[in-house]
Amino acid sequence: MSGTGDARVGTSATPSQVDGTVRVVVVDDHPLFRLGMVGLLSSLPGLTVAGQAASAAEARELVRPGTADVVLMDLHLGDCSGIEVTRELVAADPDLAVLVVTSNEDDESVAAALRVGARGYLLKSAGPDQVERAVRSVAAGELILGREVAARAMATLASGRTAVRLPFPELTDREREVLDLMARGLDNSTIARRLVLSPKTVRNHVANVLTKLAVPHRAAAIVRAREEGLGVD
């Protein structure tokens, strides 16, 4: 294979598998991408797909301590954030290597994923060789960033800038804006007028916020938002 261009950092961790086979679980709510990834991994020597999950609930049920070596995790799952699922899985099994594979390339998402214990971060545009190297690397205890992600990190360091912590990186900018206005006590109609959106669009954004934050109702979302500094000047 050609040079990786990926950034790796060695650690003292060792793979949990004993027979040399890396057991991988793919978690992604997009069926075509998930099945394509399963097909790729199944074709690689020394890797075996131990399962696949289309939601956070399925991932929690499938990935129990000792059942997998690597989990490929999308950040946007239908019923929850991949950040939160990563936090839960790593807390339950510290030997588990989570490799985030997502379309999000912003610094805040990368920082959030690494903070909760992910060992790698790739964009969905990564080629098959990058995916293979990343899976084998995190299984061997290395921390790896895809080429594009590493380039952004290096640019940030070179410029002397510090990444600003953004609350709820799993939300889109618009969803975060809606949550901020919710936390300020505005109802959907007022939010719609403020953002020049239709009431239906605002309702959809609110529903997405509740889903991604895994909270049961609007009041709980407002509490979470205010704890993170939203809704206050």
Side-chain angles (χ1 to χ4, degrees), residues 109-207:
S109 294
V110 177
L114 297 180
R115 263 200 310 270
V116 298
R119 292 190 196 167
Y121 200 103
L122 283 185
L123 297 184
K124 286 189 172 181
S125 57
D129 58 338
Q130 276 187 279
V131 173
E132 179 182 2
R133 285 190 296 269
V135 170
R136 297 190 192 280
S137 295
V138 297
E142 296 177 353
L143 173 65
I144 187 165
L145 302 178
R147 282 192 288 261
E148 302 90 340
V149 177
R152 285 177 60 92
M154 291 303 295
T156 298
L157 291 173
S159 66
R161 292 182 286 114
T162 301
V164 177
R165 180 181 179 276
L166 198 64
F168 309 114
E170 61 268 34
L171 301 181
T172 66
D173 290 341
R174 178 63 85 186
E175 289 165 352
R176 194 177 297 105
E177 191 174 14
V178 168
L179 179 58
D180 179 69
L181 294 176
M182 288 167 55
R184 293 175 186 272
L186 304 187
D187 60 19
N188 285 3
S189 297
T190 306
I191 293 173
R193 289 195 298 272
R194 177 78 64 90
L195 299 180
V196 195
L197 297 172
S198 71
K200 180 180 179 181
T201 297
V202 172
R203 286 196 302 272
N204 289 340
H205 284 314
V206 171

Side-chain angles (χ1 to χ4, degrees), residues 15 17-25 41 44-50 68-71 135-140:
Q17 66 275 8
V18 263
D19 62 355
T21 299
V22 179
R23 300 162 297 171
V24 187
V25 170
L41 297 172
L44 299 174
L47 302 183
T48 183
V49 176
D69 303 302
V70 177
V71 171
V135 170
R136 297 190 192 280
S137 295
V138 297

Side-chain angles (χ1 to χ4, degrees), residues 15-59:
S16 59
Q17 66 275 8
V18 263
D19 62 355
T21 299
V22 179
R23 300 162 297 171
V24 187
V25 170
V26 180
V27 181
D28 196 295
D29 66 349
H30 193 289
L32 289 180
F33 182 85
R34 186 179 69 253
L35 293 174
M37 187 62 71
V38 167
L40 168 65
L41 297 172
S42 299
S43 70
L44 299 174
L47 302 183
T48 183
V49 176
Q52 54 178 296
S55 66
E58 290 181 7

